[in-house]
Amino acid sequence: MSREASRRGAWLAWVVQALLVLAVLAGAAWVVNHALEVLRSRGVRSGFDFLTEPAGFSISEGWIDFDASQPFWRAFLAGLVNTVRASVPAAIFSVVLGTLIGIGRLAPHVLLRGICTAYVELLRNVPLLVQLLMLAFAIANLLPDPTEPVRLLPGVWLSKGGLSVPWPVSVEGGWWPTHFEWPEKGDFGVSGGAALSPEYVTIVAGLSFYSAAFVAEIVRAGILSVSQGQVLAGQALGLTSVQQLRIVILPQALRVIVPSLTNQLLSLVKNSSLAVAVGYPELVSVANTTIGSNGRAFECIAIIMAVYLLLSLLISFGMNRYNARVALRGWR
Amino acid sequence: MRNVAQGPIAWRSELWGSPLRVLATVLLLVLLAWGGFHVVDWGVLHAVFRPDAEACRAVQHGACWGVVAEKWRPMLFGRFPYEEQWRPAIAVVVLSAVTVLSAWPRSWRWWLVPLWIAALLLFVLLMRGGVAGLSHVPTSRWGGLPLTIGLAVVGLALAFPLALLLALGRRSGWPVVRTLSASYIELVRGVPLISVLFMASFLLPLLWPAGWQPDVLVRVLAGLALFVAAYLAEIIRGGLQAVPRGQTEVAMALGFGRWPVQRDIVLPQALRLVVPALTNSVVGTLKDTSLVTVVGLFELTGALGLALGGDPTWRPFYLEGYLFIAAVYWVLCFGLSRYSVWLERRLGEGAR
């Protein structure tokens, strides 16, 4: 290509790109304008001003008390807090359970391997929504009434009314928790400790079990990526098999595991939006109720998307920092 | 860790090789026997298989598979008119047959494209009717398994060309195209599918001219395709990155143009590399179709709610119903993921 022609090519490229930008902007402007017009013609107001108006619905659970007279923005905040309240324990449980199962899939014991493989294959191939609905049904119908709870562990009671666990509390007026409050069984059900609602138990348990199957596969692939020679070297040095795993294999496997694990955590947080189907009031559920009450679909969906993007960015940022720590230094 | 030997001899030493192993084996066997006994006791020995609600209620600790015997048709076909349900049944068989045929690498020829178009047309024709003496069935009455499979297949078919454009766009030399593609992909991957489906069902109607409402099925399909495209695009990009740069340079040196290089040399290799990853994405999409029940379409999951929710006689036996549709999903998804493993091995052999 001559110099002249390549200059003309570059010029052409910029013209095409400028036209593309114009087309995208014009398309977006038309969509927004048209949508606003249709809304106006149907007598629906638009804009984010509704956020300061009273919501008219209440949210039964979560760390932020919310009743019907409080404004919408607080409802969204309560929903966001509920999303985090469900995702963080689910993330921790799924990583712990998934790591154990992933290691179990490579264990030198055929029964243990078989059980772990069965777990992964069973849970990975059924949609999360079906698992959540099944759990919700099982908790609501098959468990005993709240007046006759079953004791899973000392201080942990399970019934149709949900799960009660010990919870750290502080003495009157103190900031720092000083002792655990243990739930106790009375005539009218369990009192004390932290009472977790059936919806909350469903979403946390469902997310944990489902994600654990995927985490197990990631952990397994990570361990398999460590070269056989490393294990033999560990054996030659006289390390026990637990030491081999802890000192030699896992630190190297982490380099392979962490990037995939980041993806899995991102999808776990996004999957927590399925709680809308089992009645746990997280962000998507709050937005859905809001759309039902005032028809501000555009704004509510914009809020959902913005919040999830923000959460995703935060997780990516945190996990990338962690990744930089476990990554191999020097060689690139 | 990795010296997982095969065969019964190795198993014997794994099971009984040391005192610790004997202990583990005994514990696990007890656990398996206890769990297996409960499952068999509940699911087979004390279960009711007849569609008899009285008998089901009389049983205290046993499954009621009678609910499946009684309700399998509304579970599998939703609200499709009862006498016409042979049509969705054939539609499912047609789509499955074409899918199975295209799963075989030897049949990856140009005639697959017209075959797929014909199969999809036949699917819509059978489901919708209105011609050739078939009565018209509105999409609002479609449901169950044909809807699940149809959404996944059509959603993927629509998403694929868009994903191809996005993947090429993200690697384009033009910064504007690159930025637009990358922003679209990252934006869509950052939000949950359910919010995209809500958007499709609440927002898209605002964009159409008043008086003409696009079908909810069409809107959901658009949302699903736009969502899946972003994920497929990243997979395809991975494949494009794995094709050595030298291939492009050699082709350019031989006088190929920019587009023929991509079309004839880079893309075929890239797609071949990522076929297993694409299959995994197909499994994900198939499972994700269950979410459309949240916006009021009665695919497999929704059809179950429809079949049991309105019937107080059978409502107590939801768990058996869920186990049934979970089994249907499981067979489909497990089959696909086994296929992906097989394909990876087969394509890997060819490459080496």
Side-chain angles (χ1 to χ4, degrees):
Chain A
M1 229 189 286
S2 73
R3 213 155 160 209
E4 189 73 11
S6 99
R7 203 177 297 150
R8 204 179 317 129
W11 187 78
L12 190 69
W14 282 111
V15 171
V16 173
Q17 292 187 65
L19 285 177
L20 197 63
V21 171
L22 280 179
V24 169
L25 285 179
W30 180 85
V31 164
V32 170
N33 188 37
H34 184 71
L36 288 178
E37 217 164 84
V38 171
L39 282 175
R40 226 172 284 132
S41 72
R42 291 185 195 167
V44 182
R45 290 177 308 148
S46 58
F48 287 94
D49 54 311
F50 75 95
L51 284 174
T52 54
E53 292 164 12
F57 59 86
S58 57
I59 293 175
S60 53
E61 71 173 309
W63 286 329
I64 293 190
D65 296 324
F66 184 79
D67 64 57
S69 65
Q70 288 176 316
F72 276 109
W73 66 264
R74 233 182 110 87
F76 278 98
L77 186 66
L80 169 63
V81 169
N82 276 348
T83 297
V84 174
R85 178 173 172 258
S87 308
V88 171
I92 295 169
F93 285 136
S94 67
V95 169
V96 172
L97 185 61
T99 306
L100 292 178
I101 293 173
I103 294 172
R105 284 202 71 179
L106 296 166
H109 192 290
V110 63
L111 283 179
L112 189 57
R113 271 204 314 272
I115 292 173
C116 293
T117 307
Y119 177 94
V120 170
E121 294 297 354
L122 275 179
L123 272 86
R124 210 166 50 145
N125 290 313
V126 173
L128 176 59
L129 182 67
V130 175
Q131 297 186 27
L132 283 177
L133 293 172
M134 218 188 290
L135 260 178
F137 176 83
I139 289 177
N141 291 280
L142 305 181
L143 289 178
D145 283 325
T147 48
E148 301 158 348
V150 281
R151 199 171 75 154
L152 296 181
L153 295 166
V156 179
W157 300 85
L158 184 65
S159 73
K160 267 180 197 156
L163 188 71
S164 290
V165 292
W167 195 251
V169 287
S170 57
V171 285
E172 206 66 40
W175 282 97
W176 200 248
T178 51
H179 62 284
F180 275 91
E181 188 184 86
W182 290 74
E184 276 166 34
K185 188 181 166 226
D187 290 341
F188 306 102
V190 179
S191 60
L196 308 172
S197 74
E199 293 83 14
Y200 181 75
V201 175
T202 304
I203 187 71
V204 172
L207 273 178
S208 306
F209 295 153
Y210 181 75
S211 302
F214 291 87
V215 173
E217 283 300 272
I218 293 170
V219 169
R220 186 174 73 110
I223 292 175
L224 285 178
S225 76
V226 179
S227 84
Q228 180 75 55
Q230 298 278 335
V231 182
L232 295 177
Q235 282 169 0
L237 287 174
L239 299 179
T240 66
S241 61
V242 174
Q243 280 177 324
Q244 283 171 35
L245 193 63
R246 192 171 61 84
I247 306 173
V248 181
I249 300 173
L250 278 184
Q252 300 187 71
L254 272 180
R255 286 173 201 143
V256 178
I257 290 172
V258 170
S260 309
L261 195 61
T262 307
N263 281 339
Q264 198 49 48
L265 291 182
L266 289 173
S267 92
L268 184 144
V269 171
K270 282 182 277 169
N271 278 338
S272 74
S273 61
L274 291 193
V276 68
V278 293
Y280 175 68
E282 43 69 69
L283 187 70
V284 173
S285 170
V286 168
N288 206 20
T289 315
T290 307
I291 296 175
S293 74
N294 64 9
R296 303 282 179 93
F298 201 74
E299 292 80 358
C300 288
I301 290 164
I303 293 174
I304 296 182
M305 292 191 154
V307 168
Y308 276 100
L309 281 175
L310 188 72
L311 285 178
S312 301
L313 285 176
L314 280 177
I315 294 170
S316 301
F317 178 75
M319 289 299 280
N320 284 340
R321 292 283 297 271
Y322 181 61
N323 191 32
R325 276 185 53 190
V326 298
L328 210 56
R329 270 169 285 268
W331 290 92
R332 280 288 139 117
Chain B
M1 277 306 295
R2 286 181 61 211
N3 268 331
V4 178
Q6 304 288 316
I9 311 267
W11 284 3
R12 197 185 301 158
S13 89
E14 281 178 12
L15 288 171
W16 314 109
S18 71
L20 192 66
R21 288 183 179 204
V22 172
L23 185 69
T25 306
V26 170
L27 279 178
L28 287 171
L29 278 179
V30 169
L31 187 75
L32 277 178
W34 179 79
F37 169 75
H38 278 280
V39 168
V40 172
D41 187 54
W42 177 81
V44 181
L45 297 181
H46 282 101
V48 175
F49 291 91
R50 286 163 296 136
D52 180 352
E54 289 300 314
C56 277
R57 256 194 297 277
V59 170
Q60 284 300 312
H61 298 288
C64 170
W65 301 117
V67 69
V68 179
E70 169 81 14
K71 294 281 188 185
W72 65 273
R73 281 179 67 160
M75 278 182 204
L76 286 184
F77 299 120
R79 297 200 303 156
F80 209 87
Y82 195 80
E83 315 77 48
E84 305 278 329
Q85 284 178 0
W86 56 272
R87 281 161 51 183
I90 295 180
V92 166
V93 170
V94 167
L95 269 196
S96 316
V98 181
T99 312
V100 169
L101 182 67
S102 15
W104 198 29
R106 210 169 283 171
S107 63
W108 294 349
R109 300 278 183 277
W110 64 271
W111 48 260
L112 264 188
V113 176
L115 189 69
W116 266 104
I117 294 172
L120 287 175
L121 282 178
L122 189 61
F123 180 83
V124 174
L125 183 86
L126 278 168
M127 294 295 285
R128 194 165 179 280
V131 282
L134 298 173
S135 60
H136 173 74
V137 179
T139 52
S140 58
R141 300 199 62 172
W142 297 12
L145 189 60
L147 196 57
T148 294
I149 294 183
L151 275 172
V153 166
V154 180
L156 283 161
L158 291 175
F160 193 77
L162 181 60
L164 214 54
L165 284 181
L166 285 169
L168 289 173
R170 197 164 183 179
R171 286 168 51 85
S172 159
W174 294 1
V176 169
V177 176
R178 210 163 51 222
T179 317
L180 284 176
S181 311
S183 338
Y184 176 83
I185 292 171
E186 294 308 331
L187 193 74
V188 172
R189 275 158 40 98
V191 298
L193 174 57
I194 217 165
S195 70
V196 176
L197 290 179
F198 279 139
M199 187 159 78
S201 74
F202 291 128
L203 287 188
L204 284 186
L206 300 180
L207 300 181
W208 264 269
W212 185 60
Q213 276 298 320
D215 199 277
V216 66
L217 186 60
V218 175
R219 286 182 268 148
V220 162
L221 206 48
L224 191 67
L226 289 174
F227 182 80
V228 173
Y231 283 80
L232 292 184
E234 280 300 273
I235 295 176
I236 297 173
R237 183 168 75 111
L240 290 173
Q241 279 176 350
V243 177
R245 265 186 77 89
Q247 302 267 340
T248 316
E249 281 155 12
V250 168
M252 297 281 251
L254 287 173
F256 275 82
R258 188 188 297 275
W259 287 106
V261 169
Q262 293 294 333
R263 195 187 60 217
D264 297 333
I265 292 162
V266 178
L267 264 182
Q269 297 187 63
L271 290 181
R272 207 180 139 88
L273 282 172
V274 294
V275 164
L278 288 176
T279 320
N280 288 337
S281 206
V282 172
V283 175
T285 309
L286 189 64
K287 284 191 292 173
D288 281 346
T289 55
S290 62
L291 299 195
V292 303
T293 178
V294 178
V295 291
L297 280 180
F298 301 111
E299 45 58 73
L300 216 41
T301 316
L304 174 73
L306 201 65
L308 298 190
D311 189 344
T313 321
W314 294 101
R315 207 182 297 162
F317 310 108
Y318 249 111
L319 190 65
E320 287 85 345
Y322 279 127
L323 286 173
F324 173 66
I325 61 161
V328 174
Y329 277 115
W330 190 83
V331 168
L332 294 174
C333 296
F334 184 73
L336 276 169
S337 69
R338 286 291 98 184
Y339 166 70
S340 145
V341 172
W342 173 81
L343 193 63
E344 192 160 12
R345 214 163 281 158
R346 190 186 151 117
L347 292 180
E349 272 165 20
R352 254 163 242 149

